[in-house]
Amino acid sequence: MRKTANAASMQVADAILMRLTLTAPPEFTVDLGDADSGLRITRSSGDAMIKLNQTEMQAKDKKFEPEGGADAPTRTKWDDDWMGKMFTYTDSDGKEPMESATVYTNIEAAKDADWTSNGIDSTSNGVTIAETGIVTIAASDSTSVDVMRFTGNILPSAPTSGESTTKRHAASTPQAGTFYGVSGTFSCDAACVVTRTSEGNITVSTALTFTPTIPSGKTAADLKAKNAMADSDYLHFGYWMESTKQKDDTYKHAIRTFAGEVTSGTANAASTAGFAASDGIEGSATYSGAAAGRYVRKSDFDAGGDAGVVEDGTFVADVDLTAQFDEEEAGTVAAADQWSIKGEVSNFMDGNEDLGWTLMLNKANMGTRNAENVVAGPNATLSGGTTTGSAGARPGTWSGTMYGNANPGDDNDAQDAADPSNDYPTGVAGVFNGHFTNGHVAGAFGAEYDD
């Protein structure tokens, strides 16, 4: 049994050592603009919803199912901030690949908003709110009313399969329900059909009116739309593993890691005018967060240095980074250290087991240096990063991207350009591998700007 376990774990080690790509396969590509494919992360309240939205063809070929929440990172302070989900595909006869993906995100719960069209931020979704509080929902496709939360008998029953369900309503027949948590009644301007998809999207065939119930002594201005302002600026990271059974009953493994951010629904690197200027951001900033991935560990070394036991598993860890931008005072920071970022991944844990490793993320650059060792045009893409595990072990690599901007009280890029001195990126996400005398790791991370 030990030899078998060792052989399987060594194959995982080979996968980590030979990992040639850092991109996830199509099933795990983040694409929030397409409800039919990619990875979708949403959160109205409570736990985050991480959903692998396969196309019908993908699901027919191989369907991935969630396996509950993945382990939370070890620090208590991260338990509420970083949430994970694992998806797996297993073929019973062992002839097809067995795949799994684990995704983490720090998406925050949606916030309440004033009962106005601007407060709910839904004018682009065919939703308008009058001063009286009455809501008009234009007839449109599901993507334009996806932000709505219907309850009561306005909705058809939830689909039990990939098909949609419908419910027909007569014109002007009030139907009790809630809109963004506010009680009231819905009515159709004409006979209408409400359609509900398996993804939770809603289609209304004609214009719909919602009349809120306003408490006595209150006005529409006192109403609050519950969970109306969804978090549109968050990091995600994770890892994917494929195990293919070979003719000799061994398995060939492939491991990929991925990371990124979503800002207002799209990936958005920190590329403001202030960040692009050589004298834009001054000083340093720290970032902290979480990491996760796969590892192999060797133990029970004999006199010749060979390991008697090799095991593999998944880990969670903490990540801390320090970014150095332009120097605040001339001559205070060496040119080689300006426009760079470095840090460490520490507290590697597999469940309650401390793996005993700390991986140094050596300096990565925010651009290409010229002959004077100066980055003339910093950018958000980090390059040239290496990692150091145990002394004497082979070096590893890491890379990442800086996202967003953290100019206090100012989210306007035009104003950032005028005063970019504290326009620090809000987050960093990336991937890494590392090597120790007794093991190897491959993982991904997300880290937020420490205010």
Side-chain angles (χ1 to χ4, degrees):
M1 291 295 292
R2 171 173 290 187
K3 291 182 178 179
T4 302
N6 282 2
S9 296
M10 285 303 296
Q11 291 165 6
V12 175
D14 290 340
I16 294 175
L17 294 171
M18 298 301 292
R19 185 172 56 98
L20 301 179
T21 179
L22 301 179
T23 58
E27 289 89 348
F28 305 110
T29 299
V30 173
D31 182 3
L32 298 188
D34 184 352
D36 296 323
S37 65
L39 172 70
R40 289 181 66 84
I41 301 173
T42 60
R43 186 179 182 186
S44 57
S45 61
D47 292 338
M49 179 182 294
I50 304 173
K51 187 170 185 179
L52 177 61
N53 289 316
Q54 294 178 278
T55 63
E56 185 175 342
M57 183 173 296
Q58 287 173 333
K60 184 177 181 181
D61 179 52
K62 52 183 179 181
K63 189 173 183 179
F64 288 80
E65 299 288 356
E67 280 203 351
D71 291 339
T74 56
R75 285 185 186 170
T76 302
K77 62 183 291 189
W78 302 124
D79 288 352
D80 293 332
D81 293 340
W82 297 94
M83 292 165 288
K85 197 76 168 180
M86 178 180 287
F87 299 89
T88 61
Y89 162 77
T90 304
D91 188 78
S92 59
D93 62 11
K95 295 180 180 179
E96 296 296 329
M98 293 179 292
E99 302 181 37
S100 66
T102 300
V103 185
Y104 283 88
T105 178
N106 66 340
I107 188 172
E108 295 181 354
K111 296 178 174 59
D112 295 348
D114 293 334
W115 192 255
T116 65
S117 297
N118 291 333
I120 294 179
D121 197 24
S122 300
T123 52
S124 62
N125 295 300
V127 176
T128 57
I129 302 179
E131 290 185 6
T132 58
I134 295 177
V135 181
T136 300
I137 305 161
S140 52
D141 61 21
S142 62
T143 58
S144 64
V145 292
D146 190 34
V147 295
M148 296 163 56
R149 276 86 168 171
F150 289 105
T151 61
N153 57 8
I154 187 71
L155 278 184
S157 59
T160 56
S161 64
E163 299 180 356
S164 301
T165 55
T166 61
K167 191 168 187 177
R168 186 177 300 275
H169 298 282
S172 302
T173 301
Q175 302 287 336
T178 66
F179 183 62
Y180 284 114
V182 174
S183 298
T185 57
F186 291 93
S187 61
C188 298
D189 293 351
C192 64
V193 176
V194 179
T195 302
R196 182 176 182 176
T197 70
S198 58
E199 288 80 21
N201 297 330
I202 306 299
T203 299
V204 184
S205 63
T206 65
L208 196 64
T209 297
F210 176 76
T211 303
T213 300
I214 301 177
S216 177
K218 301 291 185 179
T219 67
D222 297 315
L223 297 177
K224 292 291 183 180
K226 302 297 183 183
N227 305 320
M229 300 299 290
D231 183 5
S232 59
D233 187 354
Y234 55 88
L235 299 171
H236 71 271
F237 65 88
Y239 54 94
W240 171 87
M241 182 170 175
E242 178 186 56
S243 302
T244 308
K245 192 172 184 178
Q246 307 299 296
K247 292 181 179 180
D248 60 358
D249 289 335
T250 61
Y251 284 87
K252 180 179 180 180
H253 299 286
I255 295 174
R256 303 180 187 181
T257 52
F258 52 91
E261 189 208 43
V262 170
T263 300
S264 299
T266 58
N268 181 46
S271 57
T272 65
F275 193 71
S278 61
D279 60 349
I281 307 176
E282 298 177 348
S284 62
T286 60
Y287 298 82
S288 55
R294 298 281 307 188
Y295 75 90
V296 291
R297 186 172 58 170
K298 300 168 284 186
S299 59
D300 293 347
F301 289 87
D302 60 22
D306 294 326
V309 177
V310 181
E311 57 183 347
D312 69 282
T314 61
F315 69 82
V316 293
D318 300 319
V319 62
D320 294 281
L321 297 163
T322 299
Q324 175 62 56
F325 303 99
D326 201 1
E327 58 184 351
E328 295 184 84
E329 296 182 16
T332 59
V333 179
D337 293 329
Q338 296 175 31
W339 304 108
S340 67
I341 184 170
K342 61 183 179 180
E344 67 177 26
V345 184
S346 60
N347 299 326
F348 283 85
M349 302 288 292
D350 183 352
N352 294 324
E353 183 180 7
D354 187 344
L355 300 176
W357 293 325
T358 295
L359 183 69
M360 302 306 300
L361 303 180
N362 302 319
K363 182 176 65 178
N365 296 315
M366 303 177 196
T368 303
R369 297 182 180 276
N370 59 23
E372 287 73 38
N373 203 28
V374 174
V375 175
N379 56 56
T381 302
L382 307 175
S383 62
T386 62
T387 66
T388 301
S390 305
R394 60 184 290 184
T397 61
W398 78 280
S399 60
T401 304
M402 308 189 80
Y403 295 97
N405 87 76
N407 202 336
D410 177 11
D411 294 325
N412 186 292
D413 286 350
Q415 294 178 24
D416 293 340
D419 181 19
S421 59
N422 56 1
D423 191 20
Y424 297 127
T426 56
V428 185
V431 297
F432 62 90
N433 59 55
H435 311 287
F436 307 90
T437 54
N438 65 333
H440 312 277
V441 293
F445 70 88
E448 296 176 286
Y449 169 62
D450 296 322
D451 296 328

